[in-house]
Amino acid sequence: MFNIVENRKIFYAISGIFVAVSVIASALWGLQFGIDFKGGSILEINYSALPDLNSVSDSLKPLELNDLKISPLGSNSAVFRFRETDEATHQNIVKILAAEAEKSKIQFEERRFSSIGPTIGAELMQKSIKAIIIVILGISLYIAWAFRKVSQPISSWRYGVVTLIALFHDLIIPVGLFAYLGRFYGIEVGANFIVALLVILGFSVHDTIVVFDRIRENLKRYSQLSFASLVSRSIRETLVRSLNTSLTVLLTLAALYVFGGESLKYFDLALMVGIFSGTYSSIFVAAPLLVTWFNVLKKN
């Protein structure tokens, strides 16, 4: 059977390439934040047949909506994004859109409208960043505490540090992907994206703990084995379970991505990418990193 630990440098290289590309994409382009974070208004309209969006945009010019963006949503809906507005302006927009729909002899229905001020958006962004940092640190500290009785051959706090590295790996890859999508396809991220990242953190650490816990059990059972052989054995024993669990989740998310609503499409995509990278890091990065760290300590 292919030995993951012995060939860990190959997997480090694969992860290193994806992480490097993601970091560069994030640094160069950043994420395109939606109204949840930068403030503004969003209006979703459902038509019986999609009208000429350029003509619709021209009809709204008298209202002086700053940064108006109109994007088709599916085959018969459109999303309007513009500055924060009051209810009176909202009603004027709806009247104009209804008149334009009547001219084109198509049916018109308002699906949703929301408006968020820039102050609330900035506050939400700060809280989202804090939530992610707290979750990452909390998970790392918990693992260090959970493995506190494991002192040989690797101290318990090193399990926490390795977990921290794996979590960074799992987060930066979907962030880099959405930086790319935002730069070239105008895809914006909102509160749903933060929820997806938090779900990815939970799923990823769950997989990692399963492998680490098997290592802890095998340290008592197979004390005669070398640490590298013991970690390799632990990965083999949990491999099928990890892959089956992740594959089940990924198939479900893929079905939701293809057949689900348009509004959750990119939420599902973020989860799929994050869970895939989380499964990869738990098997091919986190546990092998313990062996690499052990070898470094052994040489010193």
PDB file of all heavy atoms in Angstrom, residues 181-202:
ATOM      1  N   LEU A 181     -12.391  34.514  -8.082  1.00  0.00           N
ATOM      2  CA  LEU A 181     -13.746  34.660  -8.616  1.00  0.00           C
ATOM      3  C   LEU A 181     -14.234  36.104  -8.517  1.00  0.00           C
ATOM      4  O   LEU A 181     -14.934  36.598  -9.406  1.00  0.00           O
ATOM      5  CB  LEU A 181     -14.713  33.739  -7.863  1.00  0.00           C
ATOM      6  CG  LEU A 181     -14.520  32.240  -8.065  1.00  0.00           C
ATOM      7  CD1 LEU A 181     -15.470  31.439  -7.175  1.00  0.00           C
ATOM      8  CD2 LEU A 181     -14.718  31.849  -9.526  1.00  0.00           C
ATOM      9  N   GLY A 182     -13.849  36.779  -7.443  1.00  0.00           N
ATOM     10  CA  GLY A 182     -14.238  38.174  -7.294  1.00  0.00           C
ATOM     11  C   GLY A 182     -13.544  39.072  -8.292  1.00  0.00           C
ATOM     12  O   GLY A 182     -14.161  40.001  -8.844  1.00  0.00           O
ATOM     13  N   ARG A 183     -12.283  38.781  -8.567  1.00  0.00           N
ATOM     14  CA  ARG A 183     -11.498  39.615  -9.487  1.00  0.00           C
ATOM     15  C   ARG A 183     -11.960  39.459 -10.925  1.00  0.00           C
ATOM     16  O   ARG A 183     -12.076  40.444 -11.663  1.00  0.00           O
ATOM     17  CB  ARG A 183     -10.017  39.234  -9.370  1.00  0.00           C
ATOM     18  CG  ARG A 183      -9.082  39.952 -10.352  1.00  0.00           C
ATOM     19  CD  ARG A 183      -9.021  41.450 -10.084  1.00  0.00           C
ATOM     20  NE  ARG A 183      -8.070  42.105 -10.950  1.00  0.00           N
ATOM     21  CZ  ARG A 183      -8.321  42.482 -12.203  1.00  0.00           C
ATOM     22  NH1 ARG A 183      -9.511  42.243 -12.728  1.00  0.00           N
ATOM     23  NH2 ARG A 183      -7.389  43.079 -12.924  1.00  0.00           N
ATOM     24  N   PHE A 184     -12.250  38.234 -11.346  1.00  0.00           N
ATOM     25  CA  PHE A 184     -12.541  37.988 -12.760  1.00  0.00           C
ATOM     26  C   PHE A 184     -14.025  37.748 -13.073  1.00  0.00           C
ATOM     27  O   PHE A 184     -14.424  37.839 -14.226  1.00  0.00           O
ATOM     28  CB  PHE A 184     -11.723  36.790 -13.250  1.00  0.00           C
ATOM     29  CG  PHE A 184     -10.238  37.058 -13.260  1.00  0.00           C
ATOM     30  CD1 PHE A 184      -9.420  36.578 -12.246  1.00  0.00           C
ATOM     31  CD2 PHE A 184      -9.667  37.813 -14.272  1.00  0.00           C
ATOM     32  CE1 PHE A 184      -8.053  36.829 -12.246  1.00  0.00           C
ATOM     33  CE2 PHE A 184      -8.296  38.070 -14.282  1.00  0.00           C
ATOM     34  CZ  PHE A 184      -7.492  37.584 -13.259  1.00  0.00           C
ATOM     35  N   TYR A 185     -14.818  37.436 -12.042  1.00  0.00           N
ATOM     36  CA  TYR A 185     -16.237  37.168 -12.289  1.00  0.00           C
ATOM     37  C   TYR A 185     -17.161  38.020 -11.429  1.00  0.00           C
ATOM     38  O   TYR A 185     -18.379  37.862 -11.507  1.00  0.00           O
ATOM     39  CB  TYR A 185     -16.542  35.674 -12.063  1.00  0.00           C
ATOM     40  CG  TYR A 185     -15.805  34.775 -13.027  1.00  0.00           C
ATOM     41  CD1 TYR A 185     -14.593  34.191 -12.659  1.00  0.00           C
ATOM     42  CD2 TYR A 185     -16.302  34.516 -14.301  1.00  0.00           C
ATOM     43  CE1 TYR A 185     -13.896  33.370 -13.542  1.00  0.00           C
ATOM     44  CE2 TYR A 185     -15.615  33.699 -15.183  1.00  0.00           C
ATOM     45  CZ  TYR A 185     -14.415  33.130 -14.795  1.00  0.00           C
ATOM     46  OH  TYR A 185     -13.732  32.319 -15.671  1.00  0.00           O
ATOM     47  N   GLY A 186     -16.575  38.892 -10.617  1.00  0.00           N
ATOM     48  CA  GLY A 186     -17.382  39.803  -9.811  1.00  0.00           C
ATOM     49  C   GLY A 186     -18.170  39.134  -8.701  1.00  0.00           C
ATOM     50  O   GLY A 186     -19.161  39.688  -8.213  1.00  0.00           O
ATOM     51  N   ILE A 187     -17.741  37.952  -8.259  1.00  0.00           N
ATOM     52  CA  ILE A 187     -18.454  37.239  -7.199  1.00  0.00           C
ATOM     53  C   ILE A 187     -18.156  37.899  -5.856  1.00  0.00           C
ATOM     54  O   ILE A 187     -16.997  38.058  -5.466  1.00  0.00           O
ATOM     55  CB  ILE A 187     -18.044  35.756  -7.156  1.00  0.00           C
ATOM     56  CG1 ILE A 187     -18.280  35.099  -8.516  1.00  0.00           C
ATOM     57  CG2 ILE A 187     -18.804  35.032  -6.065  1.00  0.00           C
ATOM     58  CD1 ILE A 187     -19.686  35.189  -9.024  1.00  0.00           C
ATOM     59  N   GLU A 188     -19.201  38.284  -5.148  1.00  0.00           N
ATOM     60  CA  GLU A 188     -19.045  38.938  -3.857  1.00  0.00           C
ATOM     61  C   GLU A 188     -19.244  37.937  -2.721  1.00  0.00           C
ATOM     62  O   GLU A 188     -19.940  36.935  -2.878  1.00  0.00           O
ATOM     63  CB  GLU A 188     -20.056  40.080  -3.719  1.00  0.00           C
ATOM     64  CG  GLU A 188     -19.859  41.195  -4.735  1.00  0.00           C
ATOM     65  CD  GLU A 188     -20.876  42.313  -4.578  1.00  0.00           C
ATOM     66  OE1 GLU A 188     -21.944  42.054  -3.968  1.00  0.00           O
ATOM     67  OE2 GLU A 188     -20.612  43.437  -5.053  1.00  0.00           O
ATOM     68  N   VAL A 189     -18.629  38.236  -1.588  1.00  0.00           N
ATOM     69  CA  VAL A 189     -18.784  37.387  -0.405  1.00  0.00           C
ATOM     70  C   VAL A 189     -19.532  38.170   0.668  1.00  0.00           C
ATOM     71  O   VAL A 189     -19.359  39.373   0.811  1.00  0.00           O
ATOM     72  CB  VAL A 189     -17.421  36.900   0.139  1.00  0.00           C
ATOM     73  CG1 VAL A 189     -16.696  36.082  -0.897  1.00  0.00           C
ATOM     74  CG2 VAL A 189     -16.554  38.064   0.592  1.00  0.00           C
ATOM     75  N   GLY A 190     -20.367  37.441   1.393  1.00  0.00           N
ATOM     76  CA  GLY A 190     -21.141  38.055   2.454  1.00  0.00           C
ATOM     77  C   GLY A 190     -21.120  37.208   3.702  1.00  0.00           C
ATOM     78  O   GLY A 190     -20.191  36.415   3.920  1.00  0.00           O
ATOM     79  N   ALA A 191     -22.159  37.338   4.510  1.00  0.00           N
ATOM     80  CA  ALA A 191     -22.221  36.599   5.771  1.00  0.00           C
ATOM     81  C   ALA A 191     -22.215  35.089   5.542  1.00  0.00           C
ATOM     82  O   ALA A 191     -21.650  34.334   6.338  1.00  0.00           O
ATOM     83  CB  ALA A 191     -23.471  37.012   6.545  1.00  0.00           C
ATOM     84  N   ASN A 192     -22.823  34.625   4.441  1.00  0.00           N
ATOM     85  CA  ASN A 192     -22.845  33.190   4.147  1.00  0.00           C
ATOM     86  C   ASN A 192     -21.440  32.624   3.968  1.00  0.00           C
ATOM     87  O   ASN A 192     -21.168  31.467   4.318  1.00  0.00           O
ATOM     88  CB  ASN A 192     -23.660  32.908   2.877  1.00  0.00           C
ATOM     89  CG  ASN A 192     -25.147  32.885   3.144  1.00  0.00           C
ATOM     90  OD1 ASN A 192     -25.571  32.852   4.290  1.00  0.00           O
ATOM     91  ND2 ASN A 192     -25.940  32.914   2.089  1.00  0.00           N
ATOM     92  N   PHE A 193     -20.544  33.437   3.420  1.00  0.00           N
ATOM     93  CA  PHE A 193     -19.168  32.983   3.215  1.00  0.00           C
ATOM     94  C   PHE A 193     -18.475  32.769   4.560  1.00  0.00           C
ATOM     95  O   PHE A 193     -17.721  31.795   4.724  1.00  0.00           O
ATOM     96  CB  PHE A 193     -18.403  34.005   2.379  1.00  0.00           C
ATOM     97  CG  PHE A 193     -16.999  33.604   2.049  1.00  0.00           C
ATOM     98  CD1 PHE A 193     -16.746  32.571   1.154  1.00  0.00           C
ATOM     99  CD2 PHE A 193     -15.913  34.239   2.638  1.00  0.00           C
ATOM    100  CE1 PHE A 193     -15.445  32.187   0.846  1.00  0.00           C
ATOM    101  CE2 PHE A 193     -14.608  33.871   2.337  1.00  0.00           C
ATOM    102  CZ  PHE A 193     -14.379  32.840   1.442  1.00  0.00           C
ATOM    103  N   ILE A 194     -18.722  33.652   5.517  1.00  0.00           N
ATOM    104  CA  ILE A 194     -18.138  33.502   6.858  1.00  0.00           C
ATOM    105  C   ILE A 194     -18.691  32.245   7.518  1.00  0.00           C
ATOM    106  O   ILE A 194     -17.955  31.488   8.165  1.00  0.00           O
ATOM    107  CB  ILE A 194     -18.430  34.739   7.724  1.00  0.00           C
ATOM    108  CG1 ILE A 194     -17.864  36.005   7.061  1.00  0.00           C
ATOM    109  CG2 ILE A 194     -17.850  34.567   9.123  1.00  0.00           C
ATOM    110  CD1 ILE A 194     -16.379  35.966   6.817  1.00  0.00           C
ATOM    111  N   VAL A 195     -19.991  32.004   7.358  1.00  0.00           N
ATOM    112  CA  VAL A 195     -20.602  30.781   7.894  1.00  0.00           C
ATOM    113  C   VAL A 195     -19.930  29.557   7.277  1.00  0.00           C
ATOM    114  O   VAL A 195     -19.623  28.585   7.979  1.00  0.00           O
ATOM    115  CB  VAL A 195     -22.116  30.768   7.618  1.00  0.00           C
ATOM    116  CG1 VAL A 195     -22.719  29.425   8.031  1.00  0.00           C
ATOM    117  CG2 VAL A 195     -22.806  31.894   8.370  1.00  0.00           C
ATOM    118  N   ALA A 196     -19.687  29.603   5.973  1.00  0.00           N
ATOM    119  CA  ALA A 196     -19.025  28.483   5.292  1.00  0.00           C
ATOM    120  C   ALA A 196     -17.629  28.241   5.869  1.00  0.00           C
ATOM    121  O   ALA A 196     -17.235  27.093   6.093  1.00  0.00           O
ATOM    122  CB  ALA A 196     -18.936  28.767   3.789  1.00  0.00           C
ATOM    123  N   LEU A 197     -16.878  29.311   6.111  1.00  0.00           N
ATOM    124  CA  LEU A 197     -15.533  29.159   6.683  1.00  0.00           C
ATOM    125  C   LEU A 197     -15.582  28.525   8.067  1.00  0.00           C
ATOM    126  O   LEU A 197     -14.745  27.682   8.403  1.00  0.00           O
ATOM    127  CB  LEU A 197     -14.831  30.524   6.755  1.00  0.00           C
ATOM    128  CG  LEU A 197     -14.490  31.200   5.424  1.00  0.00           C
ATOM    129  CD1 LEU A 197     -13.741  32.503   5.678  1.00  0.00           C
ATOM    130  CD2 LEU A 197     -13.658  30.289   4.527  1.00  0.00           C
ATOM    131  N   LEU A 198     -16.555  28.931   8.876  1.00  0.00           N
ATOM    132  CA  LEU A 198     -16.682  28.357  10.217  1.00  0.00           C
ATOM    133  C   LEU A 198     -17.066  26.881  10.146  1.00  0.00           C
ATOM    134  O   LEU A 198     -16.579  26.062  10.937  1.00  0.00           O
ATOM    135  CB  LEU A 198     -17.720  29.141  11.026  1.00  0.00           C
ATOM    136  CG  LEU A 198     -17.332  30.586  11.376  1.00  0.00           C
ATOM    137  CD1 LEU A 198     -18.490  31.304  12.048  1.00  0.00           C
ATOM    138  CD2 LEU A 198     -16.102  30.621  12.271  1.00  0.00           C
ATOM    139  N   VAL A 199     -17.933  26.528   9.202  1.00  0.00           N
ATOM    140  CA  VAL A 199     -18.294  25.117   9.010  1.00  0.00           C
ATOM    141  C   VAL A 199     -17.069  24.317   8.575  1.00  0.00           C
ATOM    142  O   VAL A 199     -16.842  23.195   9.049  1.00  0.00           O
ATOM    143  CB  VAL A 199     -19.426  24.980   7.972  1.00  0.00           C
ATOM    144  CG1 VAL A 199     -19.663  23.509   7.619  1.00  0.00           C
ATOM    145  CG2 VAL A 199     -20.710  25.605   8.491  1.00  0.00           C
ATOM    146  N   ILE A 200     -16.279  24.903   7.675  1.00  0.00           N
ATOM    147  CA  ILE A 200     -15.053  24.234   7.206  1.00  0.00           C
ATOM    148  C   ILE A 200     -14.108  23.974   8.370  1.00  0.00           C
ATOM    149  O   ILE A 200     -13.516  22.894   8.478  1.00  0.00           O
ATOM    150  CB  ILE A 200     -14.356  25.092   6.125  1.00  0.00           C
ATOM    151  CG1 ILE A 200     -15.184  25.091   4.836  1.00  0.00           C
ATOM    152  CG2 ILE A 200     -12.944  24.571   5.844  1.00  0.00           C
ATOM    153  CD1 ILE A 200     -14.758  26.153   3.844  1.00  0.00           C
ATOM    154  N   LEU A 201     -13.965  24.958   9.257  1.00  0.00           N
ATOM    155  CA  LEU A 201     -13.098  24.789  10.427  1.00  0.00           C
ATOM    156  C   LEU A 201     -13.560  23.608  11.277  1.00  0.00           C
ATOM    157  O   LEU A 201     -12.751  22.772  11.694  1.00  0.00           O
ATOM    158  CB  LEU A 201     -13.098  26.063  11.269  1.00  0.00           C
ATOM    159  CG  LEU A 201     -12.329  27.269  10.724  1.00  0.00           C
ATOM    160  CD1 LEU A 201     -12.558  28.489  11.614  1.00  0.00           C
ATOM    161  CD2 LEU A 201     -10.841  26.956  10.628  1.00  0.00           C
ATOM    162  N   GLY A 202     -14.866  23.544  11.528  1.00  0.00           N
ATOM    163  CA  GLY A 202     -15.390  22.452  12.344  1.00  0.00           C
ATOM    164  C   GLY A 202     -15.211  21.096  11.702  1.00  0.00           C
ATOM    165  O   GLY A 202     -14.800  20.132  12.363  1.00  0.00           O
TER     166      GLY A 202
END
